[in-house]
Amino acid sequence: GEDVEQSLFLSVREGDSSVINCTYTDSSSTYLYWYKQEPGAGLQLLTYIFSNMDMKQDQRLTVLLNKKDKHLSLRIADTQTGDSAIYFCAESFHYGGSQGNLIFGKGTKLSVKP
Amino acid sequence: DAGVTQSPTHLIKTRGQQVTLRCSPKSGHDTVSWYQQALGQGPQFIFQYYEEEERQRGNFPDRFSGHQFPNYSSELNVNALLLGDSALYLCASSSDTLTRTDTQYFGPGTRLTVL
């Protein structure tokens, strides 16, 4: 079955690195995503990784994928107060060449203390 | 380049009523997906529309229906509203070509409250 798990809360100090973790159960997923949601807003795509990669870096963001353990992480370097939000991990699949739906975790609430 | 837009922003209905939510996809996108996000939860997939047809459906009852128009915009209809239908409804658009990513771009959502 499809399931995505995340820890619910993370608190860090401004300037530190944040690491948000996610586990998924379906090894046939093709893409894995990180979305950010600020209070009262929709979801903002942060970054994604294809399932045959093990790392992707994009400015302050580093995504690590351990396909054997079905573990995905998002590291935010030099975390700022503006990074405070809920972060969702999501997986998607291709069905016969068509795009699949996204399966989301419950989200990790990141609090950044000045 | 306008992103995904949704209307209305907020909506209050009573139990048993019907509601229609609207979505305009990002320019160049032809696929629209709808998600329901209950308070404190991650978004749950409702259905996806492509070429004016429902292509995939999540685990939602038939009270949830949709439509896609020739200009790719979409509507989500919910009949016989229940208190549990109160949620943020998110629309996401994407392109159905087999591109490097499967990226879905989300709108700001419609907050539905059922009293």
Side-chain angles (χ1 to χ4, degrees):
Chain A
E2 305 157 345
D3 200 9
V4 176
E5 300 281 343
Q6 299 178 241
S7 53
L8 295 182
F9 301 99
L10 177 65
S11 181
V12 300
R13 291 231 172 257
E14 193 174 18
D16 289 350
S17 290
S18 307
V19 179
I20 302 171
N21 295 300
C22 167
T23 57
Y24 58 98
T25 54
D26 198 320
S27 57
S28 60
S29 60
T30 49
Y31 292 97
L32 295 138
Y33 299 84
W34 286 101
Y35 283 88
K36 175 184 179 183
Q37 187 175 38
E38 297 184 67
L43 274 70
Q44 174 194 352
L45 176 68
L46 286 178
T47 187
Y48 64 90
I49 189 166
F50 187 47
S51 57
N52 69 353
M53 299 168 65
D54 50 23
M55 187 182 98
K56 180 179 180 181
Q57 187 150 5
D58 185 0
Q59 299 183 327
R60 292 191 298 124
L61 305 179
T62 302
V63 178
L64 295 178
L65 175 60
N66 181 329
K67 200 168 182 184
K68 174 175 167 290
D69 294 338
K70 296 177 190 157
H71 182 266
L72 182 74
S73 68
L74 173 69
R75 178 177 179 270
I76 306 172
D78 187 24
T79 313
Q80 303 297 307
T81 54
D83 295 324
S84 294
I86 300 176
Y87 290 80
F88 291 95
C89 168
E91 58 178 344
S92 75
F93 312 84
H94 275 284
Y95 294 107
S98 299
Q99 293 192 1
N101 55 290
L102 294 171
I103 308 294
F104 285 88
K106 290 188 177 181
T108 299
K109 184 173 182 178
L110 174 64
S111 297
V112 183
K113 294 180 171 37
Chain B
D1 177 24
V4 180
T5 60
Q6 291 186 245
S7 63
T9 308
H10 295 88
L11 205 50
I12 299 175
K13 292 285 189 178
T14 56
R15 280 179 297 176
Q17 284 190 311
Q18 179 263 344
V19 69
T20 297
L21 310 181
R22 295 177 176 82
C23 171
S24 290
K26 188 174 163 65
S27 177
H29 285 182
D30 55 12
T31 302
V32 173
S33 302
W34 287 92
Y35 293 81
Q36 180 196 65
Q37 186 180 19
L39 202 60
Q41 302 295 314
Q44 298 285 315
F45 174 71
I46 304 174
F47 42 53
Q48 184 180 82
Y49 274 83
Y50 172 68
E51 290 189 338
E52 301 179 49
E53 293 201 355
E54 182 183 292
R55 178 162 68 180
Q56 293 179 52
R57 189 177 182 93
N59 189 24
F60 278 80
D62 291 345
R63 297 187 298 109
F64 290 76
S65 63
H67 190 76
Q68 186 179 32
F69 299 94
N71 67 353
Y72 309 121
S73 66
S74 176
E75 288 182 350
L76 163 66
N77 301 293
V78 187
N79 293 324
L81 284 167
L82 303 174
L83 295 179
D85 295 331
S86 295
L88 181 68
Y89 287 85
L90 294 163
C91 169
S93 75
S94 53
S95 173
D96 196 54
T97 56
L98 204 60
T99 59
R100 289 187 62 221
T101 77
D102 223 1
T103 307
Q104 294 185 22
Y105 291 87
F106 283 80
T110 294
R111 172 75 59 189
L112 173 65
T113 302
V114 182
L115 302 176

